[in-house]
Amino acid sequence: MDVWPLPRIDARRCTGCERCVEICPTQALAQVAEKAVLLYPEQCTYCTLCEDICPTQAIALPFLVVFGDAQGK
C-alpha cells in the first residue's frame, strides 16, 4: 500500500492551545493561523501523543488494519 493514514486535525475543534505542537517529538506539527496543522507529514511517526494531549479531541489518528493470509505472508 502506497498511502498510509495520517493524523487528521479538525480545524473547527482546534483552539490553538499548541499542546500538540509542543509535545510532538519530530516537530511534524506546527501552528498556522492559530490552528495546529500537520506541516511535515513525512516526519510523523504516528506516536499518538498529539491525539492523547488534545483537550478538544481535534486530532484523530485513524488506523489501517491489514490482514495477512493464513500462511503469514
Side-chain angles (χ1 to χ4, degrees):
M1 174 166 258
D2 293 344
V3 179
W4 293 102
L6 292 171
R8 296 182 185 146
I9 302 171
D10 185 341
R12 294 170 296 171
R13 290 181 138 191
C14 180
T15 62
C17 72
E18 295 189 59
R19 291 179 187 174
C20 59
V21 175
E22 293 169 359
I23 202 168
C24 181
T26 62
Q27 290 80 48
L29 297 171
Q31 198 82 350
V32 175
E34 298 182 17
K35 300 289 180 174
V37 295
L38 183 61
L39 195 58
Y40 303 105
E42 69 279 0
Q43 291 179 203
C44 179
T45 61
Y46 232 65
C47 69
T48 73
L49 290 174
C50 58
E51 181 182 45
D52 294 341
I53 202 167
C54 182
T56 61
Q57 299 175 336
I59 302 175
L61 279 78
F63 284 87
L64 176 66
V65 177
V66 179
F67 295 99
D69 62 20
Q71 296 176 350
K73 294 181 182 178

